[in-house]
Amino acid sequence: MLINPKKPWDDIPSSEITPEDVYLNRREFLGAAVGAAGLATIRPEAVAAAIRRRAGLQDPEVPAIVSMGEELRDDATEWRHVTGHNNFYEFGTDKRDPARNAGSFQPAPWSVRIEGECENPGDYALEDLIRPGEVEDRIYRFRCVETWSMVVPWRGVPLRNVISRAAPTNNARYVRFETVFRPEEMPGQNAPILPWPYVEGLRLDEATNLLAMLVTGVYGRDLPNQNGAPLRLIVPWKYGFKSIKSIVKISFVEEMPLNTWQEMQPNEYGFFANVNPEVDHPRWSQAREKPLPSPFRSRDTELFNGYAEQVGHMYAGMDLARWY
Amino acid sequence: MNAKRQLLLVRLVAWAGAAAPLLWMIYRIFLGEGLGADPTAELTHWSGFTATTLLVVGLAITPVRRITGWNSIQKVRRMIGLWAFFYATIHVAVYAALDQALALDFILEDVLTRPFTLVGAAAFLLLIPLAVTSTRGWIRRLGKNWVRLHWLVYPAAVLAVLHYELGQKTDFTRAPVTMAVVLAALLGARVWLAMRKRAAASARGTRARPSEG
C-alpha cells in the first residue's frame, strides 16, 4: 500500500491562508462592518476612518529622520489636512475640490521638458530627473497668501541638483516652470478661471538656494494627486502660490517670467511673493497667520516665513514693498 | 385654500427656507464630516453668502408680489430680513472672534484701511437699526418714518453684494455675478414699478402715495 505523505491541505497555497490575527478578530471585524453600516447613514467620515483602521491604513507619521526642520516635528499639520485642504485650481476653486476631483489624474508615466538657456536640454523621465540617492525629507513651514499656514514634511531633492545637471548658460537669469495642461483629467482647466497652463518663476539665485526643493512626496509617501503629483516646487520662504504643482516644463530664460497670479491681478500678486508681515495684501493684513486647523489668525507672520537667515541675503537692499 | 391657511403655508415655507442653512451647518459640524482644515473660512463664507442671499430674496418680495399678485408673501418680508441679520451677525462674530482673534487694533485697521472690509462693515451697520426697529412697537411709533428708515435695506444689500464681489479672487463667473445681476434686476424692477405708478397717478391727476419701501 502506497502511503501518500501529502495531506489534502498541502494544496492550499500559503497566500490563501487567513492570517491568524484576522481569524481571531473575525467577530470584531463583522461587528465593525455592522456598526459601520449603521453609522454610514449619519457620519461618512467616521465610517471611512473605521474602514481605514481595519485595513491597517493608518495616516502616515512624519519620517523618523529629516534633514531639515526637526524642530518643527511636533507642529506638523495632520496628513488629512495636508491632503484635504489644497489650492489647486486645476481641480476646482474650493479647498476640498482637489481631493475630490483629482482621482482620475495620471501622474505616471511622467516626463519633464528642460529647455532654454542650458547645455543639457531635453525630455527627461521623472526617474532620471530625481535621483533616489539625493532624496531627503525636510519639514518646512508653508504659508499661503490667504493667511493660513501649515507645517509639512516634504520629500524630494534640492532643486539646485537638477539645475546643475541641466547646466544653465550665462544667459540664464530666471527659471520658468509650467504645470501640465490636461483638461480631460483636470476639470478646473475647462473653465477660464485662470489663464492655463499655470506658470511660475524664480530668479536663478533663488532657484539654486539650498531651501528650494523639487518635491515628489509628503509624509514619506508619494505625492497625492491633489498635492501636485508627481513633481512640484517648494520654496518655503514664499507664499504658497509660488510652489507650482505637477511640473512638466522647466525653462531657463533671460527675462523675468510673468507668473499666472501676477498676470491675473498684478496689484495683488507679484513675482517675488516673499512672505512678509510688513507688506499687506490689498484686501487683508499679512501681519498674522492662521496655523490650520486652528480657527484663530493669531500667530505672528515671520519675515521670509522664518527663513530670513537662509534667504535674506538675496534681497539685501531691495525694496520689498515695491517688489512684492 | 382660504387666505389664513395660505398665509400660514407661506410663513412655514419662508421660515424653513431661511432656517435650512443653519440646520445644515449644525448637521455638518456635529454629525457630518466637520468643517475641514479651515473652519473659520467655512463659517465666514457660509454666513456671508446666506446673509447676502436672504437680503436679495427679501428685496425680491415686493416686485414678485406686484407682478404675481401673491399678496400673502408680503407678510414674510420682515422675517426674512431678520434672518438675514441673524446670519450677518454670525458672519461678523466669526470674523471678529475667530479670524481676528478679537484683536481690536487689527479689526480697526482692517475696517478703516481696506475697502473690502469697510464695505462689508457698512452693510452690517446699516442693518442694525433696521433689526432693532423691526418690532410692532417700533413700527407703530415710527409711523411713516419707519418706511423711510427701512429704505436703508437697499444700500445695505448693494454694499453686501459689492463686499461679496470684492472678496472674489478669480471666480467672477458664477455665484457672485448671478447675485449682482439679480440685485440689479430687482432694483430695476422697483424703479420701473415706481415710474409706472407715478405715471398712472399723474394720469388720474392725483399725487402718488409714498412707496411702501
Side-chain angles (χ1 to χ4, degrees), chain B residues 31-44:
Chain B
L31 294 166
E33 293 180 26
L35 298 185
D38 196 346
T40 300
E42 281 293 315
L43 288 169
T44 303

Side-chain angles (χ1 to χ4, degrees), chain A residues 147-288:
Chain A
T147 76
W148 54 267
S149 66
M150 294 187 178
V151 171
V152 186
W154 301 110
R155 169 169 285 186
V157 303
L159 173 59
R160 66 202 299 183
N161 295 15
V162 173
I163 288 182
S164 72
R165 288 199 287 273
T169 66
N170 287 334
N171 289 332
R173 295 191 53 227
Y174 295 90
V175 190
R176 181 187 182 278
F177 302 86
E178 203 174 290
T179 295
V180 71
F181 182 65
R182 287 188 195 164
E184 65 286 356
E185 292 176 26
M186 300 174 131
Q189 287 181 335
N190 292 303
I193 6 175
L194 290 177
W196 312 112
Y198 195 87
V199 171
E200 260 307 338
L202 295 172
R203 221 166 52 189
L204 193 58
D205 62 328
E206 298 178 314
T208 52
N209 184 281
L210 189 60
L211 291 184
M213 240 182 141
L214 272 181
V215 162
T216 55
V218 62
Y219 266 97
R221 291 191 184 166
D222 284 348
L223 276 179
N225 290 345
Q226 64 266 33
N227 290 79
L231 185 72
R232 70 173 296 175
L233 180 69
I234 283 293
V235 274
W237 70 97
K238 292 177 180 287
Y239 292 120
F241 70 88
K242 292 296 290 182
S243 291
I244 183 171
K245 305 185 183 82
S246 304
I247 298 167
V248 286
K249 201 188 274 183
I250 300 175
S251 321
F252 296 93
V253 294
E254 275 189 82
E255 302 292 323
M256 183 185 277
L258 181 61
N259 48 322
T260 297
W261 277 108
Q262 192 185 1
E263 185 181 351
M264 274 297 288
Q265 283 167 29
N267 63 325
E268 297 192 344
Y269 309 101
F271 175 80
F272 287 95
N274 291 315
V275 176
N276 189 338
E278 306 282 327
V279 179
D280 286 339
H281 186 280
R283 281 180 279 143
W284 55 81
S285 160
Q286 294 289 22
R288 294 176 302 160

Side-chain angles (χ1 to χ4, degrees), chain A residues 72-147:
Chain A
L72 294 170
R73 175 178 294 274
D74 295 337
D75 300 328
T77 310
E78 280 176 80
W79 162 266
R80 67 191 171 104
H81 295 318
V82 170
T83 59
H85 185 87
N86 309 95
N87 265 330
F88 197 177
Y89 283 14
E90 280 78 349
F91 293 111
T93 55
D94 190 277
K95 301 287 183 291
R96 279 166 301 189
D97 283 343
R100 286 186 201 126
N101 299 338
S104 58
F105 182 73
Q106 298 295 328
W110 195 265
S111 99
V112 178
R113 170 160 296 178
I114 293 183
E115 61 172 30
E117 300 289 347
C118 64
E119 283 165 22
N120 302 313
D123 291 323
Y124 292 86
L126 184 65
E127 304 72 47
D128 300 327
L129 205 63
I130 303 298
R131 300 198 171 160
E134 297 174 355
V135 170
E136 51 184 287
D137 292 291
R138 297 178 180 179
I139 310 175
Y140 277 159
R141 295 188 186 289
F142 182 93
R143 171 63 153 78
C144 179
V145 73
E146 298 166 339
T147 76

Side-chain angles (χ1 to χ4, degrees), chain B residues 47-211:
Chain B
S47 54
F49 179 79
T50 310
T52 310
T53 307
L54 287 177
L55 274 181
V56 172
V57 167
L59 289 189
I61 287 179
T62 300
V64 168
R65 175 181 66 97
R66 295 265 183 86
I67 290 161
T68 61
W70 301 336
N71 288 327
S72 56
I73 63 175
Q74 200 70 13
K75 301 274 183 195
V76 297
R77 199 170 57 152
R78 195 157 45 115
M79 179 182 83
I80 288 180
L82 279 170
W83 272 103
F85 182 73
F86 168 76
Y87 288 106
T89 306
I90 296 183
H91 186 69
V92 171
V94 167
Y95 163 79
L98 300 182
D99 187 41
Q100 295 290 1
L102 288 179
L104 282 179
D105 46 340
F106 279 103
I107 294 174
L108 273 180
E109 184 229 43
D110 210 19
V111 171
L112 296 178
T113 65
R114 299 191 180 88
F116 168 58
T117 327
L118 178 64
V119 167
F124 182 68
L125 290 177
L126 287 182
L127 290 178
I128 293 175
L130 308 194
V132 169
T133 59
S134 66
T135 57
R136 273 169 217 270
W138 273 104
I139 295 174
R140 211 175 37 242
R141 242 167 293 167
L142 289 173
K144 266 185 188 170
N145 287 330
W146 191 88
V147 173
R148 288 193 191 130
L149 177 67
H150 281 246
W151 177 86
L152 285 177
V153 75
Y154 289 96
V158 169
L159 290 169
V161 171
L162 181 63
H163 172 68
Y164 183 41
E165 307 295 323
L166 290 173
Q168 297 304 311
K169 227 170 135 184
T170 166
D171 189 4
F172 304 107
T173 51
R174 285 168 285 185
V177 172
T178 313
M179 192 87 93
V181 167
V182 170
L183 180 68
L186 291 175
L187 296 179
R190 288 313 297 265
V191 170
W192 181 69
L193 287 169
M195 279 166 59
R196 202 176 59 165
K197 199 162 148 188
R198 187 164 300 175
S202 65
R204 284 200 308 274
T206 56
R207 279 186 60 225
R209 281 182 303 135
S211 148

Side-chain angles (χ1 to χ4, degrees), chain A residues 46-64:
Chain A
V47 180
I51 290 168
R52 280 208 313 277
R53 268 198 308 280
R54 287 291 145 201
L57 294 172
Q58 299 273 341
D59 284 350
E61 306 269 325
V62 178

